[in-house]
Amino acid sequence: MIQFMKKMFNDRYEILDKIGDGGMAFVYKARCTILNRIVAIKVLRPEFSNDEEFLLKFKNEALASAGLTHPNIVNIYDVGQDEEINYIVMEYVDGMNLKDLIKKKGALDYSYALDIMKQIAMALNQAHKNGIVHRDIKPHNILISEDNVAKVADFGIAKATTSSTITVVGNVIGSVHYFSPEQARGGYIDKTSDLYSLGIVLYEMLTGKVPFRGDTPVNIALKHINEYIDFEKDIPDNIPKDIKGLLYKLTQKKQSDRYQSAYELINDIEYIENNVELDFEQEYDNYHTQKLNSLNEELKANIPKQLKEEGVNTNMRKKSKKKNSSKKKMTILGVLLALVMSLSIAYLIYSIKDLFIVQNYEMPDFENNTLEDATTRLEAIGVDVRIRKELYDSSVEKNHIINQTPSAGSPIKKGQTVKFDVSKGGEPVTVPNLVRKTLESVENILKESDLKEGVIDYEFSSLPEGTIISQKPRAFTEVEQGTGIDFIVSKGEEVKLVKVPNIVGKTLEDARVLLVELGIGKIKYEEDKDKKEGVILRQSLKGGQHVEEGKKIDLTVNEYEEEEEVVEEPSKKIIEKQISFELPQEDETVEVVIKEKEKNTSNTIYNKTINIKELGSMISVPIEGYEGQTKEYEIYVNDVFYGKTTAEFK
Ligand code: ATP
Ligand code: MG
């Protein structure tokens, strides 16, 4: 064997011991020399290594299941090839497979079996959610560690071993004991197929043997399709009714009659663990009637030709036919008798119906309704309501019904008790702290805690723009899963705009009152003899515009210069003169302004409206200056510059 010749794969995995062998592979304990850890290595049997198509499927499936991480799933670490050898590296489980455990101990204690079931159901739930159906659930693929943790191995690998490999490889046929009817007849396989196989595993745990045995694989496959578990004979009396119910529901022939998901199964296991009575009664009693059903012709028609040729089902059909014909006459007689009797009973009931009649109702669909509403409606017709379990469920509002028994549409009558699972809302979670976190990070933080964003508000704050200022409910309080957390996001520092008042012409005192929302910046003084002293001449910010509150505004204030010359040079002689000029005669009256200019100052010395008609067009204006002074005069007529003149005072 190639496997034994090598001690090291790809210079990385050092083979230590052989652990076991299965239909398509050998399993070794090995050491990964890079990560220095113990691993299990599954090496394909050489006959598979040469089958290209199988190899590709094997690798793909191994890789697909490598994505699954769950405490109850054997982790796949690596898929590799060393020359001719193809191998999968996986988590090493120090313990024993469930098949060997059952072989060693016989039937297991039912509560232990239930615990193993729950762990496997959890693994399946995880795989099914990821779209992976195991297809080969059997005790050999369930590894039980020393501390009783169940781990499911070989996820998806079975997909590579399609029906062709069943007949080709002797050992793989072992799986047929756990095949679902649809697997046995080559039908459509889905997650409920894994649940069927798990049902067979449960049967084996409870009884120490598999339910359907036979001398050929075909024989066994047919039994999965056609035969029923005899609960009264095969299952020990000490097994609680609810566990039998569980087994019953798992091993239904029709996929739609089984648990529809591993999650449903986990729920029921938890009910049993919590000593909650399950409602299998109705279905469980039914199995007798179903057991009497003859072989389903349709299923038989679907059985692969290859299986039929083995002849087993033909024999069976013959047997059942024979039985039928020998009883034929008796049956006709019986049916006639039953007919006469039931007609008489019906007539009797009809004639006294008012005395005994119990009104039948149809169970409404109460899912997602309030418990209160359901109770009111049911009590009104004399039906009792019992809360079976209160569960956390974020998808159903608090005090609303998650599910009901019996289901909607089933008959119910007065005096009957119906049961509800009621939501306690989402599971309690601790609110994380959002304050000082950025808005972008909030989504992830909330998601990790199973919470949602609530109402988002924006406010000005000294915290940087986009950070959370406050939240409701507060951090570290307990709330329901899925609760919306409201929070306020900082818009950064507040910028308040104020309107700049127009203060030109106002006194500085008034300006101080008007400018409370702005600040007064630099004050300059200038002289404008045309304006009153002390008034504002100019403002640096234009009136009417909006600026940020607190902004500084510079002002220019009118201040008359002291005429120092007068004080300083009192001895200087004042000389009087006149400026004379002719006014334009277009209008009756003209406005005349004369400005005296000396150095940088400008004073209006004359401002009058003159009636030309009365006073004539020639005008003389008195001017004065110190001896030796030279002054310039500008003349404005009707606000238009008219001319200028210079006067020397001598
Ligand atoms: P089949 O080939 O039909 O799946 P099988 O499951 O018995 O049958 P393998 O999957 O090859 O065959 O496994 C052989 C045995 O090796 C298992 O029954 C189990 O006891 C052991 N084994 C498999 N994987 C591991 C593991 N990861 N850790 C420890 N032991 C393992
Ligand atoms: Mg296996």
Side-chain angles (χ1 to χ4, degrees), residues 47-317:
E47 56 263 46
F48 285 103
S49 294
N50 301 327
D51 182 335
E52 283 295 316
E53 193 189 333
F54 177 84
L55 239 157
L56 195 70
K57 278 183 185 172
F58 169 79
K59 283 183 185 165
N60 285 346
E61 289 302 320
L63 284 173
S65 51
L68 293 173
T69 37
H70 190 273
N72 300 112
I73 294 178
V74 175
N75 261 318
I76 304 280
Y77 295 144
D78 194 9
V79 180
Q81 188 176 7
D82 186 350
E83 291 168 17
E84 291 285 88
I85 302 164
N86 289 283
Y87 60 88
I88 297 172
V89 183
M90 58 187 154
E91 174 186 357
Y92 171 72
V93 182
D94 192 8
M96 179 185 273
N97 72 47
L98 184 58
K99 186 78 185 179
D100 292 342
L101 188 76
I102 296 170
K103 266 192 215 154
K104 195 170 137 195
K105 294 195 169 176
L108 305 176
D109 177 70
Y110 65 77
S111 51
Y112 181 79
L114 204 62
D115 181 48
I116 300 291
M117 284 294 285
K118 187 173 163 186
Q119 297 187 55
I120 306 167
M122 283 176 164
L124 287 180
N125 187 40
Q126 171 81 358
H128 292 169
K129 275 199 303 196
N130 286 286
I132 296 171
V133 176
H134 190 291
R135 291 162 178 259
D136 195 17
I137 288 292
K138 56 178 179 179
H140 320 66
N141 283 339
I142 296 160
L143 306 175
I144 313 284
S145 74
E146 298 271 81
D147 45 358
N148 290 317
V149 176
K151 286 181 188 268
V152 183
D154 293 354
F155 259 98
I157 290 170
K159 199 175 178 185
T161 60
T162 47
S163 52
S164 65
T165 53
I166 296 168
T167 44
V168 175
V169 185
N171 278 341
V172 179
I173 281 171
S175 303
V176 84
H177 286 108
Y178 306 89
F179 269 7
S180 59
E182 60 273 17
Q183 249 167 319
R185 59 163 203 270
Y188 178 75
I189 292 168
D190 66 8
K191 55 187 179 179
T192 65
S193 313
D194 280 349
L195 295 176
Y196 178 92
S197 304
L198 184 54
I200 305 299
V201 173
L202 175 61
Y203 182 103
E204 194 175 350
M205 285 196 281
L206 297 175
T207 63
K209 56 187 184 0
V210 287
F212 303 121
R213 279 164 292 171
D215 39 10
T216 63
V218 176
N219 203 340
I220 299 165
L222 279 170
K223 284 184 177 173
H224 279 287
I225 298 172
N226 301 319
E227 293 195 5
Y228 292 83
I229 294 169
D230 188 337
F231 281 76
E232 259 143 50
K233 235 174 69 208
D234 296 345
I235 313 292
D237 289 341
N238 71 320
I239 307 292
K241 198 173 66 167
D242 280 344
I243 297 185
K244 286 187 195 173
L246 207 82
L247 178 62
Y248 177 79
K249 201 163 173 183
L250 283 166
T251 53
Q252 284 302 295
K253 305 289 182 207
K254 251 173 86 179
Q255 281 155 285
S256 59
D257 288 342
R258 294 177 206 149
Y259 282 104
Q260 291 305 295
S261 67
Y263 182 76
E264 274 180 26
L265 171 63
I266 296 167
N267 254 345
D268 271 3
I269 294 174
E270 282 177 354
Y271 284 144
I272 298 174
E273 284 173 341
N274 293 311
N275 292 321
V276 181
E277 193 187 321
L278 290 181
D279 292 289
F280 286 122
E281 296 98 327
Q282 226 182 347
E283 299 153 7
Y284 182 50
D285 289 344
N286 276 351
Y287 83 82
H288 291 292
T289 12
Q290 290 194 13
K291 211 171 105 185
L292 297 177
N293 280 350
S294 64
L295 210 63
N296 184 325
E297 289 298 326
E298 193 190 317
L299 286 181
K300 278 174 70 184
N302 282 326
I303 298 165
K305 204 169 151 241
Q306 189 190 9
L307 297 189
K308 277 185 185 164
E309 277 162 6
E310 303 265 344
V312 182
N313 63 340
T314 334
N315 289 342
M316 280 185 65
R317 209 186 297 164

Side-chain angles (χ1 to χ4, degrees), residues 350-417:
Y350 180 75
S351 40
I352 54 167
K353 70 177 191 305
D354 289 340
L355 290 176
F356 296 101
I357 201 153
V358 180
Q359 184 78 48
N360 269 314
Y361 301 93
E362 203 173 86
M363 178 71 169
D365 182 1
F366 283 118
E367 285 175 17
N368 283 312
N369 282 27
T370 61
L371 178 68
E372 203 187 343
D373 175 40
T375 311
T376 318
R377 284 170 61 189
L378 290 168
E379 284 180 351
I381 54 167
V383 171
D384 293 329
V385 169
R386 215 180 86 194
I387 298 175
R388 185 169 41 193
K389 206 150 189 228
E390 287 184 284
L391 301 163
Y392 290 115
D393 188 336
S394 59
S395 65
V396 179
E397 249 182 89
K398 197 174 177 175
N399 294 327
H400 284 57
I401 291 162
I402 301 171
N403 58 48
Q404 59 182 52
T405 307
S407 54
S410 310
I412 48 168
K413 54 180 185 278
K414 192 174 169 183
Q416 187 177 337
T417 304

Side-chain angles (χ1 to χ4, degrees), residues 559-576:
E559 191 182 59
Y560 291 167
E561 264 178 31
E562 303 233 336
E563 297 199 352
E564 287 159 13
E565 293 98 326
V566 181
V567 184
E568 280 171 11
E569 299 175 61
S571 58
K572 275 194 176 168
K573 204 175 150 194
I574 291 174
I575 296 168
E576 292 180 350

